[in-house]
Amino acid sequence: MCEFCLKQARSLKPSKSPWGPEDEIGRLNLITPESRAKVLASIDITQSYDLSVDYFMGMPSWSAAGDPPYQIWMTHTPTGNVNDDLMGVSKESKELISYSGDAISMYTHCGTHIDTFNHFGYRGEIWNGFNEKEHLGSRHWTKCGPEKYPMIVARAVMIDVAAAKGVDMLPESYGIGEEDLKDALNKQGTTIQEGDIVMVRTGRMTVWPDRDKYLTNSPGLNIEGAEFLAGEGAMIIGSDNIALEQNPSPEPDNYFPVHTYLFSEVGIPIIELLWLEDLSKAGIYEMGIFGTVMPLVGATGAPIQPMAFPIKK
Amino acid sequence: MCEFCLKQARSLKPSKSPWGPEDEIGRLNLITPESRAKVLASIDITQSYDLSVDYFMGMPSWSAAGDPPYQIWMTHTPTGNVNDDLMGVSKESKELISYSGDAISMYTHCGTHIDTFNHFGYRGEIWNGFNEKEHLGSRHWTKCGPEKYPMIVARAVMIDVAAAKGVDMLPESYGIGEEDLKDALNKQGTTIQEGDIVMVRTGRMTVWPDRDKYLTNSPGLNIEGAEFLAGEGAMIIGSDNIALEQNPSPEPDNYFPVHTYLFSEVGIPIIELLWLEDLSKAGIYEMGIFGTVMPLVGATGAPIQPMAFPIKK
Amino acid sequence: MCEFCLKQARSLKPSKSPWGPEDEIGRLNLITPESRAKVLASIDITQSYDLSVDYFMGMPSWSAAGDPPYQIWMTHTPTGNVNDDLMGVSKESKELISYSGDAISMYTHCGTHIDTFNHFGYRGEIWNGFNEKEHLGSRHWTKCGPEKYPMIVARAVMIDVAAAKGVDMLPESYGIGEEDLKDALNKQGTTIQEGDIVMVRTGRMTVWPDRDKYLTNSPGLNIEGAEFLAGEGAMIIGSDNIALEQNPSPEPDNYFPVHTYLFSEVGIPIIELLWLEDLSKAGIYEMGIFGTVMPLVGATGAPIQPMAFPIKK
Amino acid sequence: MCEFCLKQARSLKPSKSPWGPEDEIGRLNLITPESRAKVLASIDITQSYDLSVDYFMGMPSWSAAGDPPYQIWMTHTPTGNVNDDLMGVSKESKELISYSGDAISMYTHCGTHIDTFNHFGYRGEIWNGFNEKEHLGSRHWTKCGPEKYPMIVARAVMIDVAAAKGVDMLPESYGIGEEDLKDALNKQGTTIQEGDIVMVRTGRMTVWPDRDKYLTNSPGLNIEGAEFLAGEGAMIIGSDNIALEQNPSPEPDNYFPVHTYLFSEVGIPIIELLWLEDLSKAGIYEMGIFGTVMPLVGATGAPIQPMAFPIKK
């Protein structure tokens, strides 16, 4: 096992990467041609699950600190094109072929997405010693963006904590710790392997897309639970809620202790807003996941639509 | 073979879908659990190719008609957070954990993306009789958006027209017709099967990302070539250029004849800005493709990062 | 007096303009060099009042129907410029001169702004017979935009309804009718003259910028009050609330009866989100207003920062 | 005369403000009730000139470093509202009253606008010792934004350098120095007074809105000319080109020497993209200007539409 992946105790300082001074992707280095082939050989592709949510006007997204909501708008409409002269083509042409176009804007942490290591750090420094002073440009970080990520083909485990506790959704602000995770894993009969994507189900998607119910005071992982999963060898940790971790933070001077620990100390990216409802209903806990991250150069997060295929019995 | 997929002669009118009055996805109906399983069984996953381009400031994109360029910007910076009060957390907390966030805006046809059927139609009507008057909302179409698309797991053929002609890139504005495609297929020793993603390589990516060289007067498919591929059973047609088809259009009153034909008449979506350079260098013409479309409700296009895995020998 | 300005009874149909078939500005035609000179001669410029609110992150704005909130973001920061290479200038140059730049996005009805006649109409038709089918482009209307407006130099009357009733703010959803307006005018000792900007104070700005308190269920003008002011010769009608009129609308099938009446029938633009608190405290009811409208071609609304100077005693 | 306003020799270091450690507006402190009254008494309001350009799709704007172009788009269309359900009102209501809404986005230096002191500085520090480390938030500067500006009512002088030299437009990249300015002032028979807005006409607007001709290699003020105008007591300096000063800069390690000097050393804001063509044709060189700056909290620039009224003979 990767020695680094055993590390777990929190230090509140960014780590140097065991994959070298240029490393920007942390544990995603665990993905290899062999690991992919192993996943491919194990899955039943006749069943498939889309673990992402749609992007739509009014969808809940992180907006407490002024981040913009998802927006889509038309840039061309069939009749509009005829009435304006943006296009430099003949009126006949505009009347014959009905052109529609649209544009979007969004916070990069809207919808099902992955967080990258530049999203959080400690005192101006992020994973592997990269830092604000030298590596933050006017528009984006120059290090640790999602365009550096490989295609994700990996084994995944879904830990259905809500189901293990017999509830639709965990209570508001509930903190999921080591025992909660172990208990659910036991009930499911599943184990975590090094390099797994570990997805923690809180049941929060049962209130989606009601923004008042979904966004604030979410149940989620606490720092103890995060240390446990990191120590078990998780490559990526995901959840069905807005920000993975218990909200509000129990630590007065650290409003996102799990994020800072996972990104800066143990090199684990996070996936948020996962749609785990269908997996939960089907009782599927082990699967192969295929996914690509939208390659937004330097971004702190990026959309991903993970495709899940159950492990063959 | 699907009878509809034999159809090819252009009529300049939208077709009714053979998959019924509610159909919004056309030939993507050809994807089934069985077709996916067949692909999975055939590929060598130890080799992988990412067919998408990165999103970055200044990247070439369609802007001739006023559509917005790709933009990314910071919404939170570590030091900025300390100086402003957007967050409602303590100064100590803001100083300890360095939060960065960013947002993007873009035309939905920026970067490697798929076009949906509401992108073009004839005289206000699109695929399967959906129309501007009843199905265009203030922000987006209510029909034929990419959120309706299934996960794409399909066989694909790359037709390397540029290589077949022994050039790095086809001449400016060159129109690729039936003979060009047949000739390249013959040289490659490949055939098209019903349900294939067919990707036509013009070599245009050899000048990427030089916007002056990449965007205008692109070589591309002509209507004859499009009719041929449709008749061979192509499920999706893609290319490495900005808009698939020859530019400028040879038809004075139809500036996008291939788009209108493929979307409205034969139900074939288009993928543009494909990165085919690595496949071309490796001489890989047949592969399995895994991909998910960013589920932008109602949009006329959406980002996709196709993952290609060669067919096992 | 302008005969048209006496008209007041609601018909629920757009009017033809008395200023001719090309007219796009309605009663703003009442502004003439002579009317401006008269205003200039009457004011005391040593006292000045800014009637606009600032644009800032988190400011209340109309968002119930998905319209985007005010956003500002950096496009260049001094240190960021040094770390990225967007600029094509030397590193020494970037280090010496510290360049900052920023961009904004907003709904055009955010902050103190004027509404234009294309903002509302009846059954696809707006003021003077312009209509959606012929005059709405892909990006904006081609008629009745604020770029057509003249510089506004006009006499104005503030009707302090809240003060006349002895309250800080009128009750939630209160509808201001003819008697309320007449009563306040009498108490103030002021009269409306043809061509006046009439500003109705509800006291809503006393809860600014608390979005929960400011936005919904606002007191405001009712249709009777609007007909009265139109009949008195008002050229523009403004208020200190989010949408001038009483909210919610008392008419089940017309959620903005005052807007449709003023724009489509009597040719009166509206100014919203006026800062009238200082005028109210100073007891100033008659003044000259200077203002320019941000010339956003074809827009449905545009920012304005009215400068008010009291009429000399 | 204000002693500070005599200062002119460049030091390449930010100055402390003579108006105290809290000052964020520099020479705009010269505006007083008395100075406004003097202007009011001197102008002929029957003639009026709008010195601003319209905002429209495709308008030339600064985009060389990735800043976004002006965009406007519909957020509501009459028919679109009926087809979607963003509004929560009845279908009858949506059909009866035709609601249109739109939104904009833009670089704050687009169109006729004023630059604020946080736009440029030296080595991380701006006017009066404010600095990036302490005063740059995530979204905008916390110091020197346009919301701090008073209403601008001031005397203005237009120096028509192009006319003085008998050309429509000065040659590409021409640097306007002290002698050019003095010569034009002499020919016009005008003098600069302390507190004046000084507007330098290069004739660049004669090629507006041709972006290829307008944007790059503009004639403009050089540092010598800027020092002269500062020493004469100019309160604001404006021009009809994209960036006031000669482009490209003659100084290899300072691509905007006039900006840095005016903002950081002598406390003079800049107005760009002024429409001076009508003034030039009418031979009007002295006037009163009324204007308000769009109060974008903390921004580096903001739209302004100056209204000019000639000085009475």
Side-chain angles (χ1 to χ4, degrees):
Chain A
M1 186 167 175
C2 152
E3 196 179 342
F4 176 76
C5 299
L6 298 171
K7 177 180 193 295
Q8 56 165 303
R10 189 160 61 138
S11 69
L12 295 174
K13 286 187 189 155
S15 300
K16 292 292 172 188
S17 171
W19 291 280
E22 301 303 316
D23 176 52
E24 305 179 34
I25 65 171
R27 292 194 188 186
L28 289 183
N29 284 292
L30 297 173
I31 297 175
T32 63
E34 294 69 37
S35 76
R36 282 180 177 143
K38 199 171 156 193
V39 171
L40 188 74
S42 71
I43 60 174
D44 172 8
I45 203 171
T46 62
Q47 293 180 62
S48 61
Y49 295 87
D50 178 350
L51 307 188
S52 72
V53 296
D54 285 350
Y55 288 84
F56 57 94
M57 290 294 301
M59 67 188 293
S61 68
W62 189 263
S63 59
D67 298 289
Y70 174 73
Q71 293 276 319
I72 183 169
W73 63 92
M74 303 303 295
T75 60
H76 296 283
T77 64
T79 298
N81 293 332
V82 176
N83 289 335
D84 61 32
D85 59 356
L86 290 166
M87 307 203 49
V89 296
S90 70
K91 189 156 190 246
E92 288 68 26
S93 192
K94 292 188 290 187
E95 286 173 341
L96 172 63
I97 77 168
S98 295
Y99 171 28
S100 295
D102 37 29
I104 56 167
S105 71
M106 52 182 271
Y107 186 42
T108 56
H109 301 265
C110 177
T112 311
H113 69 278
I114 201 162
D115 285 354
T116 62
F117 300 154
N118 52 35
H119 189 31
F120 281 97
Y122 291 115
R123 302 193 181 283
E125 190 176 321
I126 62 169
W127 171 252
N128 210 11
F130 300 118
N131 59 79
E132 181 184 16
K133 185 166 178 46
E134 295 168 289
H135 303 114
L136 177 59
S138 287
R139 293 304 194 92
H140 56 76
W141 280 81
T142 62
K143 296 291 177 184
C144 297
E147 81 282 5
K148 305 289 171 62
Y149 283 6
M151 281 179 251
I152 296 170
V153 178
R155 185 178 176 277
V157 168
M158 195 264 282
I159 309 180
D160 196 339
V161 181
K165 294 195 181 292
V167 296
D168 285 342
M169 181 171 76
L170 295 174
E172 296 294 290
S173 303
Y174 184 83
I176 301 168
E178 181 169 348
E179 287 312 308
D180 297 314
L181 296 165
K182 281 181 172 168
D183 179 58
L185 284 165
N186 281 340
K187 283 185 176 150
Q188 294 174 184
T190 46
T191 55
I192 298 171
Q193 298 175 13
E194 184 182 282
D196 275 0
I197 298 171
V198 178
M199 304 183 293
V200 179
R201 182 174 175 273
T202 67
R204 197 66 169 179
M205 276 291 169
T206 56
V207 298
W208 180 264
D210 181 323
R211 51 188 310 126
D212 291 333
K213 291 183 180 160
Y214 185 81
L215 288 175
T216 54
N217 299 319
S218 181
L221 205 60
N222 66 21
I223 189 69
E224 179 201 83
E227 287 176 345
F228 166 69
L229 295 178
E232 292 292 299
M235 179 175 73
I236 297 174
I237 299 177
S239 191
D240 55 355
N241 57 8
I242 187 70
L244 179 62
E245 63 188 279
Q246 170 187 24
N247 174 268
S249 165
E251 303 187 16
D253 285 350
N254 188 336
Y255 60 95
F256 266 169
V258 173
H259 278 67
T260 43
Y261 168 71
L262 292 179
F263 298 156
S264 302
E265 301 192 42
V266 293
I268 294 179
I270 294 172
I271 302 181
E272 290 157 343
L273 289 124
L274 282 164
W275 181 258
L276 303 175
E277 297 311 290
D278 298 328
L279 292 177
S280 179
K281 276 170 201 144
I284 293 168
Y285 305 111
E286 294 174 290
M287 67 212 83
I289 281 186
F290 284 62
T292 46
V293 175
M294 193 177 172
L296 305 171
V297 171
T300 64
I304 182 172
Q305 293 85 44
M307 295 175 267
F309 305 99
I311 300 292
K312 277 184 293 204
K313 307 283 160 156
Chain B
M1 188 167 174
C2 151
E3 195 179 342
F4 176 76
C5 298
L6 299 172
K7 176 180 193 294
Q8 56 166 301
R10 189 160 61 138
S11 68
L12 296 173
K13 285 186 188 156
S15 301
K16 293 292 171 188
S17 170
W19 290 280
E22 301 303 316
D23 176 51
E24 305 179 35
I25 65 171
R27 292 195 187 185
L28 289 183
N29 283 293
L30 297 174
I31 297 175
T32 62
E34 294 69 36
S35 76
R36 282 181 177 142
K38 199 171 155 194
V39 171
L40 187 75
S42 71
I43 60 174
D44 172 8
I45 203 171
T46 62
Q47 292 180 62
S48 60
Y49 295 87
D50 179 350
L51 306 188
S52 72
V53 296
D54 285 350
Y55 287 84
F56 57 93
M57 290 295 301
M59 67 187 294
S61 68
W62 188 264
S63 58
D67 298 289
Y70 175 73
Q71 293 275 320
I72 183 169
W73 63 92
M74 303 305 294
T75 59
H76 295 283
T77 64
T79 299
N81 293 333
V82 176
N83 289 335
D84 61 33
D85 58 357
L86 289 165
M87 307 201 49
V89 296
S90 70
K91 189 156 191 247
E92 287 68 26
S93 193
K94 293 189 289 187
E95 286 173 342
L96 172 63
I97 78 167
S98 295
Y99 171 27
S100 295
D102 36 30
I104 57 168
S105 70
M106 51 182 272
Y107 186 41
T108 56
H109 300 265
C110 177
T112 310
H113 70 278
I114 201 161
D115 285 354
T116 62
F117 299 155
N118 53 33
H119 189 31
F120 281 97
Y122 292 117
R123 302 194 181 283
E125 190 177 320
I126 62 169
W127 172 253
N128 209 13
F130 300 117
N131 60 78
E132 182 185 16
K133 186 164 177 48
E134 294 169 290
H135 304 113
L136 177 59
S138 286
R139 293 304 194 92
H140 56 76
W141 279 81
T142 61
K143 296 290 176 185
C144 296
E147 82 281 8
K148 305 290 170 61
Y149 283 6
M151 282 180 250
I152 295 170
V153 178
R155 185 177 176 276
V157 170
M158 195 265 282
I159 309 180
D160 196 339
V161 180
K165 294 195 180 292
V167 297
D168 285 343
M169 182 172 76
L170 295 175
E172 295 294 289
S173 303
Y174 185 83
I176 300 169
E178 181 170 348
E179 287 312 309
D180 297 315
L181 296 165
K182 281 181 172 168
D183 180 57
L185 284 165
N186 281 340
K187 283 186 176 147
Q188 295 175 184
T190 46
T191 55
I192 298 172
Q193 299 175 14
E194 184 181 283
D196 274 0
I197 298 171
V198 178
M199 304 183 292
V200 179
R201 182 173 174 274
T202 68
R204 198 65 169 180
M205 277 290 169
T206 57
V207 298
W208 180 264
D210 182 322
R211 51 188 309 127
D212 291 332
K213 291 184 179 158
Y214 185 81
L215 288 176
T216 54
N217 299 319
S218 181
L221 205 59
N222 66 21
I223 189 70
E224 180 201 81
E227 287 176 343
F228 167 69
L229 295 178
E232 292 292 300
M235 180 174 72
I236 296 175
I237 299 178
S239 191
D240 56 353
N241 58 8
I242 186 72
L244 178 63
E245 62 188 280
Q246 170 186 24
N247 173 268
S249 165
E251 303 186 16
D253 285 350
N254 187 337
Y255 60 95
F256 266 169
V258 172
H259 279 66
T260 42
Y261 168 72
L262 292 178
F263 298 156
S264 301
E265 302 191 42
V266 293
I268 295 178
I270 294 173
I271 303 180
E272 289 158 342
L273 289 125
L274 282 165
W275 182 259
L276 303 175
E277 297 310 291
D278 298 328
L279 292 177
S280 179
K281 276 171 201 144
I284 292 168
Y285 306 111
E286 293 174 289
M287 66 212 85
I289 281 186
F290 283 62
T292 46
V293 175
M294 193 176 171
L296 306 171
V297 171
T300 64
I304 182 171
Q305 293 86 43
M307 297 175 265
F309 305 100
I311 300 292
K312 276 184 293 203
K313 307 282 160 154
Chain C
M1 187 166 174
C2 151
E3 195 179 343
F4 176 77
C5 298
L6 298 172
K7 177 179 192 296
Q8 57 165 304
R10 189 160 62 139
S11 68
L12 295 174
K13 285 186 190 156
S15 302
K16 293 292 171 188
S17 170
W19 291 279
E22 301 303 316
D23 176 52
E24 305 179 34
I25 64 170
R27 293 196 187 184
L28 290 183
N29 283 292
L30 297 174
I31 297 175
T32 62
E34 294 69 36
S35 77
R36 281 179 177 143
K38 198 171 156 193
V39 171
L40 188 75
S42 71
I43 60 175
D44 171 9
I45 204 170
T46 62
Q47 292 180 62
S48 61
Y49 295 87
D50 178 350
L51 306 188
S52 71
V53 297
D54 285 350
Y55 287 84
F56 56 92
M57 291 294 302
M59 68 188 292
S61 68
W62 188 262
S63 58
D67 297 288
Y70 175 73
Q71 293 276 318
I72 183 169
W73 62 92
M74 302 304 294
T75 60
H76 295 283
T77 64
T79 299
N81 293 332
V82 176
N83 289 336
D84 62 32
D85 59 356
L86 290 165
M87 307 202 50
V89 296
S90 70
K91 189 156 191 247
E92 287 68 25
S93 192
K94 292 189 290 188
E95 286 173 342
L96 172 62
I97 77 167
S98 295
Y99 172 27
S100 295
D102 37 28
I104 57 167
S105 71
M106 52 181 271
Y107 186 42
T108 56
H109 301 265
C110 177
T112 310
H113 69 278
I114 200 162
D115 287 353
T116 62
F117 300 154
N118 53 32
H119 189 31
F120 281 96
Y122 291 117
R123 302 194 181 283
E125 191 176 320
I126 61 169
W127 171 252
N128 209 11
F130 300 117
N131 60 79
E132 181 184 18
K133 187 166 177 47
E134 296 169 287
H135 303 113
L136 178 60
S138 287
R139 292 305 193 92
H140 56 75
W141 280 81
T142 62
K143 297 290 178 186
C144 295
E147 82 281 7
K148 306 288 172 61
Y149 284 6
M151 282 180 251
I152 296 169
V153 178
R155 185 177 177 277
V157 168
M158 195 263 282
I159 308 180
D160 196 339
V161 181
K165 294 194 180 292
V167 297
D168 284 343
M169 181 171 76
L170 294 175
E172 295 295 289
S173 303
Y174 185 82
I176 301 168
E178 182 171 346
E179 286 312 309
D180 296 315
L181 297 165
K182 282 181 172 168
D183 179 58
L185 284 165
N186 281 340
K187 284 185 175 149
Q188 295 175 183
T190 46
T191 55
I192 299 172
Q193 300 174 12
E194 183 183 282
D196 273 0
I197 299 173
V198 178
M199 304 184 293
V200 179
R201 182 172 174 273
T202 67
R204 198 65 168 180
M205 277 291 169
T206 57
V207 297
W208 179 265
D210 182 323
R211 50 187 310 126
D212 292 331
K213 291 184 180 158
Y214 185 81
L215 288 176
T216 54
N217 299 319
S218 180
L221 205 60
N222 66 20
I223 190 69
E224 179 201 83
E227 287 176 345
F228 166 68
L229 294 178
E232 293 292 300
M235 179 175 73
I236 297 175
I237 299 177
S239 191
D240 55 355
N241 58 7
I242 186 70
L244 178 62
E245 63 188 280
Q246 169 186 25
N247 174 267
S249 165
E251 303 186 17
D253 286 350
N254 188 337
Y255 59 96
F256 265 168
V258 172
H259 278 66
T260 43
Y261 167 71
L262 293 179
F263 298 156
S264 302
E265 302 191 43
V266 293
I268 294 178
I270 295 172
I271 302 180
E272 290 157 343
L273 288 124
L274 282 165
W275 181 258
L276 304 176
E277 298 310 291
D278 298 329
L279 291 178
S280 179
K281 276 170 201 144
I284 293 168
Y285 305 111
E286 294 173 289
M287 66 212 85
I289 281 185
F290 284 63
T292 47
V293 175
M294 194 176 172
L296 305 171
V297 171
T300 64
I304 183 171
Q305 293 85 44
M307 297 175 267
F309 305 99
I311 300 290
K312 277 183 293 203
K313 306 284 161 156
Chain D
M1 187 165 174
C2 152
E3 195 179 344
F4 177 75
C5 299
L6 298 171
K7 178 181 192 293
Q8 57 165 301
R10 189 159 62 139
S11 69
L12 295 174
K13 285 186 189 156
S15 301
K16 292 293 172 187
S17 170
W19 291 279
E22 300 303 318
D23 176 51
E24 305 179 35
I25 64 171
R27 293 196 186 184
L28 290 183
N29 284 293
L30 297 174
I31 298 175
T32 62
E34 294 69 37
S35 77
R36 283 180 178 144
K38 197 172 156 193
V39 171
L40 187 74
S42 70
I43 60 174
D44 172 8
I45 203 170
T46 62
Q47 293 180 63
S48 61
Y49 295 87
D50 178 350
L51 307 188
S52 72
V53 297
D54 285 351
Y55 287 84
F56 57 93
M57 290 294 301
M59 67 188 292
S61 67
W62 188 264
S63 59
D67 298 289
Y70 174 73
Q71 294 275 319
I72 183 170
W73 62 92
M74 303 303 295
T75 60
H76 296 283
T77 65
T79 299
N81 293 334
V82 176
N83 289 334
D84 62 32
D85 59 356
L86 290 165
M87 306 201 51
V89 295
S90 71
K91 189 155 190 251
E92 288 68 26
S93 191
K94 292 189 291 187
E95 285 173 341
L96 172 63
I97 77 166
S98 295
Y99 171 27
S100 295
D102 36 28
I104 57 167
S105 71
M106 52 182 271
Y107 186 42
T108 55
H109 301 265
C110 177
T112 310
H113 68 278
I114 200 161
D115 286 354
T116 61
F117 300 155
N118 53 33
H119 190 32
F120 281 97
Y122 291 116
R123 302 193 180 284
E125 191 176 320
I126 61 169
W127 172 252
N128 208 12
F130 300 117
N131 59 79
E132 181 184 16
K133 188 166 176 46
E134 295 168 288
H135 303 113
L136 177 59
S138 287
R139 293 304 194 92
H140 56 76
W141 281 80
T142 61
K143 296 291 177 185
C144 296
E147 83 279 7
K148 305 289 172 60
Y149 284 6
M151 281 179 250
I152 295 170
V153 177
R155 185 177 177 276
V157 169
M158 195 263 283
I159 309 179
D160 196 338
V161 181
K165 293 193 181 293
V167 297
D168 285 343
M169 182 172 75
L170 295 175
E172 296 294 289
S173 302
Y174 185 83
I176 300 168
E178 181 170 348
E179 287 312 309
D180 297 315
L181 296 165
K182 282 182 173 167
D183 179 57
L185 283 165
N186 281 339
K187 283 185 177 149
Q188 295 175 184
T190 45
T191 55
I192 299 172
Q193 300 174 13
E194 183 183 282
D196 274 359
I197 300 172
V198 178
M199 303 184 292
V200 179
R201 183 174 174 271
T202 68
R204 198 63 170 180
M205 276 290 169
T206 57
V207 298
W208 180 264
D210 182 322
R211 52 188 307 126
D212 291 332
K213 290 183 181 160
Y214 185 82
L215 289 175
T216 54
N217 299 320
S218 181
L221 205 60
N222 66 21
I223 189 70
E224 180 201 83
E227 287 176 345
F228 167 68
L229 295 178
E232 293 292 300
M235 178 176 73
I236 297 175
I237 299 177
S239 190
D240 55 354
N241 58 7
I242 186 71
L244 178 62
E245 62 188 281
Q246 168 187 26
N247 173 268
S249 164
E251 302 186 17
D253 286 350
N254 188 337
Y255 60 96
F256 266 168
V258 173
H259 278 67
T260 43
Y261 168 71
L262 292 179
F263 298 155
S264 303
E265 302 191 41
V266 292
I268 295 179
I270 295 173
I271 303 181
E272 289 157 343
L273 288 124
L274 282 165
W275 181 258
L276 304 176
E277 297 311 291
D278 298 328
L279 292 178
S280 179
K281 275 171 201 144
I284 293 168
Y285 305 111
E286 293 174 289
M287 67 212 84
I289 281 186
F290 283 63
T292 46
V293 175
M294 193 177 172
L296 305 171
V297 171
T300 64
I304 182 172
Q305 293 85 43
M307 296 175 266
F309 304 99
I311 301 290
K312 277 183 292 203
K313 307 283 160 155

